Amino acid sequence: MKALIIYISVHHGNTEKVAKVMANTLDATLLQVKQANASMLEQYDLIGFGSGIYFGKHHESLLDFVDKLPVLRNKKAFIFSTSGLRRIRLVHNFDKPLKEKLQRKGFDIIGEFSCRGLDTYRATKLVGGINKGRPNAKDLKQAEDFARSLKNSGDSYLN
Ligand SMILES: Cc1cc2nc3c(=O)[nH]c(=O)nc-3n(C[C@H](O)[C@H](O)[C@H](O)COP(=O)(O)O)c2cc1C
């Protein structure tokens, strides 16, 4: 199984912390979205896509990257993010735009991970931000467990 992680982390480097733990666990190549191009994906079986959440969805540059991909076959993907607020599946499902784009490009989504990240946007700045210290050790341990579960999912691509 060859894994690649493509991410962008612009606000406080929150998502980068998660991406690094996942890359270590999966022995994956780790690239910022600006370093990645569509032709690289061909070599990988599993590709992770992650960023902070901006206005209810993943970062625009990650969404644009996926928009420009051709339709691919036999690719597994997972999605991850850090965010100021918790995801509420039916009300505030910020994974949905990225997930739908990836599915339209032929990816089989095998997992989604999200945890809180320090957020100093707008009014939260007045109190020094929300989710101070996050992602914390517990979040990163959960990210590691999540990545391990992808590895151990029993799928032939992941052995
Ligand atoms: C301009 C801006 C918009 C944001 N919009 C949201 C949002 O809609 N929902 C949310 O939960 N968090 C939102 N956040 C908080 C970020 O998702 C959070 O801080 C995240 O951990 C940033 O990740 P990064 O440091 O990897 O970029 C926003 C932050 C900024 C700066």
Side-chain angles (χ1 to χ4, degrees), residues 8-16 51-57 59 82-86 92 94 115-121 131 134-135:
I8 174 159
S9 183
V10 290
H11 189 32
H12 288 292
N14 297 332
T15 314
E16 184 169 58
S51 76
I53 296 300
Y54 293 87
F55 310 108
K57 45 192 179 169
H59 194 274
T82 62
S83 64
L85 304 173
R86 202 162 56 85
H92 182 226
F94 44 61
C115 71
R116 303 298 66 74
L118 171 64
D119 179 8
T120 54
Y121 183 55
N131 309 323
R134 296 188 73 179

Side-chain angles (χ1 to χ4, degrees), residues 16 24 28 35 117:
E16 184 169 58
N24 263 337
Q35 302 171 305

